[in-house]
Amino acid sequence: MAKDKIILKAEDLDGYLTSEDKDDLDKISVLYDNVAQYFEPPCQEKIIEGFNELGHRMQEICKKHPSIKVFSFVTEEGARPEASRVISKLRDINTSQEEFIYYSQRAYEMLFRLAYTDEHTDKKNHITVKTPVNIPVQNYAVHKIPDIDAKIENSVMCVMLRGALLPSMIISKEIEEYSSHGYITPFALFKISRNDTKTEKDMEYVLDLKKSFFNLEELQGKDLIFADPMNATGGSLVTVVKYLQSQGVQVRSIKFFNTISALKGSIRVTRALPHCTCYTLWLDPALNKLAYILPGLGDAGDRLNGNDTSENPRNILQLIADYGSNITGLYRSQLYQIEKVVLG
């Protein structure tokens, strides 16, 4: 292993699974295969029936794993249609890049609420704002928000490039807006990729330290937040965290935010990282042999950021520039922190 590359293998990940986990995953895989036989030609009645059963079975499995928080399982019933609509738009092959960004923002605002503000607290902060109305006098308005400073003001955003960049900025922006002190999270950027020549069974996860930007001292004793649209296998997150632990970093907590997570990925993460809580808007049942989520939504990074060419992949600053003024203006504080860690 080269000093600038850290590699984790799929068999190492599977070592964290219990025999009961493997049995549960096998049963879900069989159920999904039974549904998939009705995809071509499509039989809507059978597909709906099969997914209903899958949802019930996965919900039962998640009760055994309290560190897996699935929005559509744990929120009040009235909130679940919102998740269904957002996920359906993100999955849709006809959703444009602009729409995909919009619905990703909605997804991460919902996940933030699930993790930080849904739990009732009597402690409140007040936001006093100056309005544009100045007749007969300058007007002000006061709004109450939950006091969650203790939960958010020790956080560092850990970005697993590249699809994770915008979701990470969204979560950081929510933290800034809810913090009574305007806390802006530091950022740590990790260049982590899967070896595309491998299959799900022998996959390798490669952390490139030369192309990563982080300060180990800034991570010590912190609440680490990872926001990645897709959690297929859990390998990227586990690789990064295990590397940090090998360097002596002791963290207070880890939160992992996903738009969609495969059941296997969520279980692997929470088994491998006992202090990690996974928050996902939607749980999918299976992986194909290339470790892509089924039914999934495709390559979330490409759908958020557009495609790179293999000859000219964009670096972090080029990626930010391509978001355009609407995005860069909205997340100005977050971009300053990213530029600071990249450019020193």
Side-chain angles (χ1 to χ4, degrees):
M1 182 192 306
K3 288 184 179 179
D4 59 343
K5 298 282 179 72
I6 307 298
I7 298 175
L8 181 72
K9 297 184 178 182
E11 54 261 37
D12 299 322
L13 278 173
D14 281 339
Y16 294 107
L17 298 175
T18 67
S19 57
E20 184 179 11
D21 295 336
K22 293 174 183 177
D23 185 53
D24 285 338
L25 290 167
D26 287 342
K27 289 176 180 176
I28 290 295
S29 182
V30 169
L31 279 177
Y32 185 78
D33 289 343
N34 290 339
V35 177
Q37 67 181 314
Y38 297 108
F39 288 172
E40 195 65 46
C43 176
Q44 185 167 332
E45 182 179 348
K46 289 292 188 181
I47 292 172
I48 292 172
E49 179 183 309
F51 273 101
N52 281 337
E53 184 177 1
L54 278 165
H56 290 310
R57 293 287 187 89
M58 289 194 293
Q59 192 165 1
E60 289 300 315
I61 292 170
C62 286
K63 288 178 181 178
K64 307 175 190 177
H65 303 272
S67 293
I68 299 175
K69 310 289 187 184
V70 184
F71 188 96
S72 53
F73 292 169
V74 302
T75 55
E76 69 279 6
E77 193 167 341
R80 297 173 191 178
E82 181 184 10
S84 291
R85 288 298 302 149
V86 169
I87 288 294
S88 68
K89 290 297 293 185
L90 289 169
R91 289 197 200 275
D92 194 335
I93 196 172
N94 296 312
T95 297
S96 67
Q97 183 182 2
E98 291 77 12
E99 280 188 301
F100 197 89
I101 290 173
Y102 167 73
Y103 284 105
S104 293
Q105 289 173 309
R106 284 188 58 185
Y108 275 93
E109 288 164 3
M110 293 162 67
L111 287 169
F112 181 88
R113 187 171 75 237
L114 174 64
Y116 292 109
T117 68
D118 274 0
E119 185 177 328
H120 177 74
T121 174
D122 291 328
K123 292 183 65 178
K124 303 292 182 185
N125 279 332
H126 294 84
I127 300 176
T128 303
V129 292
K130 186 178 181 179
T131 81
V133 179
N134 56 14
I135 299 174
V137 296
Q138 175 62 59
N139 275 248
Y140 292 84
V142 176
H143 298 276
K144 292 180 181 179
I145 60 171
D147 180 355
I148 58 172
D149 287 350
K151 295 181 180 180
I152 60 178
E153 292 187 352
N154 189 53
S155 302
V156 176
M157 289 304 308
C158 298
V159 186
M160 296 186 294
L161 300 175
R162 57 184 211 125
L165 178 60
L166 184 57
S168 299
M169 292 194 297
I170 295 168
I171 292 290
S172 178
K173 179 74 171 179
E174 290 294 294
I175 288 173
E176 180 185 5
E177 295 299 326
Y178 271 91
S179 165
S180 62
H181 307 101
Y183 178 74
I184 302 170
T185 62
F187 278 76
L189 310 177
F190 300 94
K191 177 63 174 175
I192 182 93
S193 59
R194 304 193 313 190
N195 184 340
D196 288 336
T197 67
K198 303 288 186 178
T199 67
E200 196 268 324
K201 298 296 184 184
D202 63 356
M203 184 61 67
E204 293 179 344
Y205 306 86
V206 184
L207 173 60
D208 189 335
L209 297 176
K210 281 190 174 180
K211 296 181 180 179
S212 299
F213 303 89
F214 56 90
N215 183 333
L216 289 173
E217 291 182 3
E218 281 192 348
L219 302 174
Q220 194 68 253
K222 297 297 185 179
D223 299 306
L224 303 188
I225 301 175
F226 294 79
D228 201 331
M230 309 287 282
N231 173 24
T233 65
S236 294
L237 176 71
V238 174
T239 303
V240 170
V241 174
K242 290 296 184 183
Y243 167 74
L244 294 177
Q245 291 174 336
S246 75
Q247 299 304 298
V249 174
Q250 295 181 343
V251 300
R252 192 168 77 171
S253 71
I254 302 167
K255 286 183 170 64
F256 192 25
F257 292 93
N258 312 117
T259 305
I260 291 179
S261 179
L263 177 62
K264 186 174 187 177
S266 290
I267 293 176
R268 272 174 159 178
V269 164
T270 54
R271 290 295 191 204
L273 308 173
H275 299 303
C276 180
T277 304
C278 292
Y279 297 91
T280 184
L281 202 61
W282 207 266
L283 197 65
D284 271 4
L287 298 170
N288 66 14
K289 65 180 182 180
L290 298 178
Y292 294 155
I293 299 176
L294 300 175
L297 53 73
D299 189 317
D302 285 347
R303 297 188 73 182
L304 276 171
N305 304 320
N307 296 325
D308 277 350
T309 63
S310 57
E311 296 81 13
N312 296 295
R314 289 167 291 178
N315 64 32
I316 184 71
L317 298 181
Q318 291 168 327
L319 198 58
I320 289 169
D322 284 353
Y323 283 145
S325 59
N326 288 340
I327 294 294
T328 55
L330 182 60
Y331 299 106
R332 185 175 301 277
S333 299
Q334 285 65 43
L335 294 174
Y336 172 75
Q337 293 293 329
I338 292 170
E339 289 175 354
K340 188 165 70 171
V341 73
V342 171
L343 301 178

